[in-house]
Amino acid sequence: MPLATNPLIQVTPGLMIWTIVCFLITLFVLKRFAFGPIQKAIDERRDRIRQSLEEADNAREEAHQLLEEHRKLIAGAKNDAEEILAEARRVSESNVRRMREETEADRQRRLEDTRKQIEAETRRALEQIRSEVADLSLIAAEKVTRKSLDDADHRRLIDEAIGELDFSAFEGSQN
């Protein structure tokens, strides 16, 4: 019983040798002309991928460094802003204090001016009162004596009347 009745399964030594020779020639041609360039392309691609990964790692590291620098700059800007605000507060407080001092000095100056005006008006009023008292004294003395007095008598009576009056009550109220 022949098992190898199918020509594809039958072992034919001549065909087998020619198949091996063709295979070796094809292998040699592929190795010489195809596998080298294909391997070279694969190696180049592997190198490009490795280089791209290294560049990505470098870019990631650089991005991380830039992020840290950015955070430091933001922190520095915040500190600068806080210092500027603190300085502005100090200047503002200084200006407020200076304005209060100037306002107080102006108020004191006005009070002093007002006090001086009151004293001057009081002196003027006292002089006017003395003058009126002297005139009234003359009129009263003329009526009492029923005669007219000369200028020397008038002056003497005025001085006596003024000397007898007590103006200390008026002068004490102005202080």
Side-chain angles (χ1 to χ4, degrees), residues 1-2 11 30 36 38 43-45 48 50 52 67 69 71 74 77 89 108 115 119 122 125 149 160 167:
M1 269 201 261
V11 176
L30 285 176
I38 290 173
D43 289 342
E44 288 174 357
R45 172 136 177 157
R48 281 196 312 264
R50 187 179 331 107
S52 294
L67 180 63
E69 288 177 15
R71 286 179 180 161
I74 287 176
R89 284 186 193 113
Q108 290 297 332
R115 186 185 60 76
E119 286 178 1
T122 303
L149 300 173
E160 287 175 8
F167 288 105

Side-chain angles (χ1 to χ4, degrees), residues 80-146:
D80 291 346
E82 289 174 4
E83 289 175 9
I84 289 170
L85 284 175
E87 181 64 25
R89 284 186 193 113
R90 283 192 296 270
V91 168
S92 174
E93 290 171 358
S94 173
N95 285 340
V96 166
R97 187 174 38 255
R98 183 179 49 83
M99 290 299 292
R100 283 183 184 156
E101 290 170 357
E102 289 176 1
T103 303
E104 180 63 23
D106 186 49
R107 186 182 72 81
Q108 290 297 332
R109 184 186 48 80
R110 288 184 183 191
L111 283 174
E112 184 64 25
D113 290 347
T114 303
R115 186 185 60 76
K116 288 179 181 177
Q117 287 176 354
I118 290 172
E119 286 178 1
E121 287 296 320
T122 303
R123 279 192 299 273
R124 228 175 315 180
L126 286 175
E127 289 299 320
Q128 189 176 8
I129 290 172
R130 284 182 182 150
S131 174
E132 288 181 20
V133 166
D135 289 343
L136 288 174
S137 296
L138 285 175
I139 292 171
E142 204 174 302
K143 287 186 179 185
V144 169
T145 59
R146 298 211 189 274

